[in-house]
Amino acid sequence: MTTLNLGILAHVDAGKTSLTERLLHSAGVIDELGSVDDGNTRTDTMALERQRGITIRSAVVSFVVHGVTVNLIDTPGHPDFIAEVERVLSVLDGAVLVVSAVEGVQAQTRVLMRTLQRLRIPTLIFINKVDRAGADPERVLRQIAEKLTPHVVATGWVDASGTPAARCTPFGSDDSAFTDRLVDLLSAHDDALLAAYVEDERAVSAGRLRRALAAQTGRARVHPVFAGSAITGAGVAALTAGIAELLPVAAGDEDAPLSGTVFKVERGPAGEKIAYARIFTGVVRVRDRIRIGRDAEAKVTAISVFSDGDAVPSQTAGAGRIAKLWGLSDVRIGDVLGVAPDRPAGRHHFSPPTLETVVVPCRAADRAALHTALAQLAEQDPLINLRQDDLRQEISVSLYGEVQKEVIQATLADEHGVQVTFRETTTVCVERPVGVGAAVEWIGKEPNPFLGTVGLRVEPAPAGSGFEFRLGIELGSMPLAFLKAIEETVRETLRQGLCGWQVIDCRLTLTHGGYWARQSHSHGVFDKSMSSTAGDFRNLTPLVLMAALARAGTRVHEPMHRFRLELPADLFGTVLPVLARLDAVPRTSTVQGTSYLVEGDVPAGRVHALEQRLPALTRGEGVLESEFDHYQPVRGTAPSRPRWDHNPLNRKDYLLAVERRVTARPESR
């Protein structure tokens, strides 16, 4: 049986989870429909999801349709949990993007569609809630064509929209208007189809058009649009048939070496790690020892695969399947199993979190338990970027928004029994080098106390280029382990620049390197204190790098969001001064009938304040979309962040800290 790994994506409250329930019910997997309002849906298993009526963690369920096993992944719709969506994208064969027939195309809808198009993931669009008062499928279809993609075609029409009696009827092969629209859409990418249709319309059969539609949908060139209601079931049968017919099933060679990606990690009842993995090629079996990432290896102790709505035990999981794996105790989200797949999971499709806060336990005695609990949350969401300051006894996490903070607080209380509060949310800035700086410390020469020579040059790189490490010495002049230690330490050290922020868009060159080989006394007794180790280079590199960075200088940049604000025309003059007070800079303003469309830039740290003030400012009619766009230099005094380790810029304190570590582990040399 073939497999299709399908993602359900949408703006929050568009009806993703309700659609998942309806698909499972239609396939006979569940006997009774669950309700988001009642907190009894199949995929919202967390207590907090049931209480709040939102999806927080992605969930996998399975059903069979027309001989295809569909592994359906329900994802969060709230932008604060976009990291969950990001991890799922790397394992999908296709997607259904859900749009509300009442609210239409919303901010998160646009973000998701742009990402699906960029990754060329075959996507169907489902206009949901056609039975709701105010539903207007025709208006929403026009919005989809204008705001998402023009390469869409409606596959049916809706009668009595906006009423409980709304029903959806697929267009038939004898509908000439539908055929003409389909030919116009498909011929833009198929010259042979256009030529055949022009020569003789009757020669282009309905079957050929459906095959062409499936082929172009599978290549993410066109996007069929379905309509219906997840609550009443109207139109869902047509969508189900479209999923099986139009989306490509998983491909993969089971005889090839194992290749998979871990996209979710959770803890079992006994605290054991359970890894959710998409298997691209090969087969994983119980008791197999498999490679994890670059260096690690682990034995698989149990496997479950998804079938008929749930995960069932299995001895194997082959290419195309999604599997739950036990026994991989050190596994992390994004890890590669076996050989790397063609589509790596480590790439970021959405912007990183731009906010952070310090988590404070209500009881000092809970400090250790808090760290343990947050470490487990970080396993499920690595982008919270857990950071601990041992000196200040503080723990910070990165955030996408305030709702995420509320969820972390409730999760810690409900699942770990730890009550917490938060410090004020602050913006996560970055640093960029402004010049070129170099430094070197020589082995055996004061003030270098380590058995190694390291020289580094730091220089700016183009915006968005990230980090590049270059060798300015001969590759064979030092052991590979020492070079690896230097590069890894450089990457780690750049997480905190001169002002405590991560340093980005820079080029580092190793200009000098030297070491003492294994040495002994004249009597032939080996003395490890006279021989260089990787630890020497891990300890020396931060001193050299920070000295070079200090000579180059850095400038702090803050994250900026590009915003799009629709508001009533008569309130345009009232809203502009408020935007100015929030440091928002309008770039363009356009009259659209009785409304204004204002586009511009706003600091990431001000977006939440703008969202809070908007309803009162615009009589509830304002619509705001925003997403990270770029970093720009901070005006005025640059904010600094306390360093979360011993500062290599303070040589004395740094060396004392190194000495304490070495003393604690005397066997390290």
Side-chain angles (χ1 to χ4, degrees):
M1 183 177 287
T2 54
T3 302
L4 167 64
N5 297 300
L6 177 71
I8 302 286
L9 293 81
H11 187 99
V12 66
D13 290 334
K16 294 178 294 68
T17 303
S18 297
L19 178 59
T20 299
E21 287 289 308
R22 175 60 66 176
L23 290 171
L24 293 175
H25 184 265
S26 299
V29 172
I30 56 177
D31 297 326
E32 188 174 333
L33 285 169
S35 166
V36 173
D37 293 335
D38 294 339
N40 59 356
T41 58
R42 189 64 173 266
T43 53
D44 286 345
T45 57
M46 293 175 60
L48 192 59
E49 290 178 315
R50 296 179 184 274
Q51 292 167 11
R52 298 184 64 104
I54 61 172
T55 301
I56 297 171
R57 297 277 181 256
S58 59
V60 184
V61 291
S62 177
F63 62 92
V64 177
V65 55
H66 297 197
V68 178
T69 297
V70 179
N71 290 327
L72 191 153
I73 309 176
D74 185 20
T75 63
H78 197 287
D80 281 14
F81 308 106
I82 194 68
E84 282 289 311
V85 181
E86 175 169 87
R87 289 186 278 275
V88 167
L89 290 175
S90 62
V91 306
L92 297 182
D93 302 306
V96 173
L97 181 65
V98 184
V99 184
S100 169
V102 180
E103 288 82 10
V105 173
Q106 297 170 277
Q108 190 75 343
T109 319
R110 295 162 66 111
V111 172
L112 292 169
M113 189 62 185
R114 281 197 296 267
T115 306
L116 290 167
Q117 290 178 302
R118 187 168 65 250
L119 298 177
R120 301 197 66 77
I121 294 176
T123 302
L124 308 181
I125 299 174
F126 183 69
I127 300 176
N128 191 25
K129 301 184 178 182
V130 298
D131 59 317
R132 288 267 305 275
D136 189 346
E138 291 296 326
R139 171 181 59 83
V140 174
L141 181 63
R142 291 193 298 271
Q143 282 187 355
I144 290 170
E146 294 169 1
K147 298 183 177 183
L148 299 183
T149 172
H151 306 298
V152 294
V153 60
T155 58
W157 76 92
V158 181
D159 287 329
S161 62
T163 72
R167 62 184 184 277
C168 307
T169 306
F171 291 123
S173 58
D174 57 347
D175 189 312
S176 59
F178 171 62
T179 300
D180 289 343
R181 289 195 298 271
L182 201 54
V183 170
D184 287 343
L185 178 69
L186 299 175
S187 61
H189 306 287
D190 189 339
D191 292 339
L193 177 66
L194 177 61
Y197 188 75
V198 170
E199 183 175 341
D200 184 0
E201 295 182 8
R202 292 169 297 179
V204 180
S205 65
R208 179 174 178 178
L209 284 177
R210 294 294 294 188
R211 289 191 297 273
L213 180 61
Q216 294 195 27
T217 302
R219 290 193 288 270
R221 289 179 175 173
V222 302
H223 306 282
V225 179
F226 297 82
S229 167
I231 298 299
T232 68
V236 174
L239 173 65
T240 303
I243 289 171
E245 178 190 3
L246 302 175
L247 293 178
V249 296
D253 183 1
E254 292 196 347
D255 295 325
L258 174 66
S259 176
T261 294
V262 175
F263 67 93
K264 178 178 177 178
V265 172
E266 66 181 17
R267 292 273 178 172
E272 75 279 15
K273 274 189 182 180
I274 305 171
Y276 287 67
R278 161 73 189 266
I279 309 301
F280 291 100
T281 61
V283 178
V284 60
R285 301 174 178 84
V286 175
R287 293 185 294 278
D288 277 356
R289 291 196 67 84
I290 62 175
R291 191 176 74 182
I292 304 173
R294 293 183 178 180
D295 307 315
E297 209 176 70
K299 181 179 180 180
V300 178
T301 58
I303 298 174
S304 286
V305 296
F306 290 88
S307 177
D308 292 330
D310 210 346
V312 296
S314 175
Q315 291 296 304
T316 65
R321 302 302 293 266
I322 287 178
K324 295 172 67 174
L325 306 176
W326 282 259
L328 313 183
S329 58
D330 295 324
V331 74
R332 297 173 300 177
I333 288 175
D335 276 347
V336 169
L337 305 181
V339 299
D342 292 335
R343 36 182 173 176
R347 292 168 49 195
H348 288 307
H349 311 304
F350 303 105
S351 61
T354 55
L355 304 172
E356 70 176 0
T357 186
V358 173
V359 189
V360 182
C362 294
R363 297 191 314 148
D366 287 340
R367 196 173 301 278
L370 172 61
H371 185 271
T372 301
L374 284 173
Q376 290 193 13
L377 291 185
E379 291 173 355
Q380 301 170 17
D381 184 2
L383 288 184
I384 70 173
N385 191 26
L386 183 65
R387 299 165 59 243
Q388 178 165 335
D389 178 4
D390 292 329
L391 293 178
R392 297 175 182 81
Q393 293 291 296
E394 292 179 348
I395 303 175
S396 77
V397 293
S398 298
L399 303 168
Y400 277 102
E402 295 298 315
V403 173
Q404 189 181 8
K405 183 193 291 185
E406 296 172 17
V407 168
I408 291 174
Q409 185 178 42
T411 302
L412 290 172
D414 296 344
E415 298 184 10
H416 301 276
V418 179
Q419 302 288 338
V420 300
T421 58
F422 297 92
R423 301 257 180 88
E424 182 183 0
T425 301
T426 57
T427 304
V428 178
C429 297
V430 297
E431 297 179 49
R432 284 185 172 127
V434 294
V436 178
V440 61
E441 298 225 8
W442 303 94
I443 191 170
K445 292 186 178 180
E446 293 291 342
N448 180 9
F450 304 109
L451 300 186
T453 293
V454 174
L456 293 167
R457 182 176 68 250
V458 59
E459 53 192 318
S465 61
F467 164 78
E468 180 184 1
F469 183 79
R470 293 179 173 181
L471 286 181
I473 62 174
E474 292 291 334
L475 181 60
S477 62
M478 291 180 66
L480 188 59
F482 294 171
L483 294 175
K484 183 178 179 181
I486 293 172
E487 181 176 358
E488 289 177 349
T489 307
V490 164
R491 293 180 182 275
E492 180 67 23
T493 304
L494 287 178
R495 292 178 62 189
Q496 300 179 77
L498 303 180
C499 296
W501 306 105
Q502 182 178 4
V503 181
I504 65 170
D505 300 335
C506 63
R507 185 179 299 116
L508 264 295
T509 304
L510 181 63
T511 57
H512 300 80
Y515 69 103
W516 282 349
R518 296 173 67 87
Q519 299 183 39
S520 64
H521 294 288
S522 57
H523 298 293
V525 179
F526 170 65
D527 186 351
K528 61 184 179 181
S529 69
M530 299 172 61
S531 307
S532 301
T533 68
D536 287 301
F537 294 95
R538 293 188 187 279
N539 291 326
L540 177 59
T541 298
L543 287 172
V544 178
L545 175 54
M546 295 306 288
L549 199 62
R551 290 167 185 164
T554 64
R555 187 168 185 182
V556 177
H557 291 63
E558 64 179 332
M560 300 294 293
H561 279 217
R562 176 60 55 90
F563 75 85
R564 175 187 172 94
L565 174 60
E566 295 181 30
L567 70 159
D570 63 307
L571 297 176
F572 178 68
T574 304
V575 172
L576 279 184
V578 177
L579 293 176
R581 286 195 292 272
L582 293 173
D583 297 324
V585 180
R587 302 295 183 188
T588 62
S589 57
T590 309
V591 178
Q592 295 185 337
T594 60
S595 65
Y596 257 102
L597 172 63
V598 183
E599 295 181 285
D601 301 325
V602 61
R606 299 286 196 159
V607 172
H608 183 62
L610 180 56
E611 290 172 338
Q612 288 183 312
R613 299 194 61 178
L614 192 61
L617 285 171
T618 62
R619 301 189 295 264
E621 299 177 46
V623 179
L624 175 69
E625 300 174 18
S626 77
E627 62 177 321
F628 171 80
D629 187 69
H630 65 282
Y631 288 101
Q632 79 170 19
V634 172
R635 292 177 292 178
T637 303
S640 61
R641 177 168 62 171
R643 295 189 61 86
W644 293 75
D645 59 9
H646 297 285
N647 189 351
L649 286 170
N650 187 325
R651 190 181 189 94
K652 181 179 178 181
D653 287 349
Y654 176 79
L655 292 178
L656 285 173
V658 171
E659 184 178 354
R660 284 195 293 270
R661 289 200 301 268
V662 172
T663 302
R665 300 193 306 272
E667 71 282 357
S668 61
R669 288 204 58 83

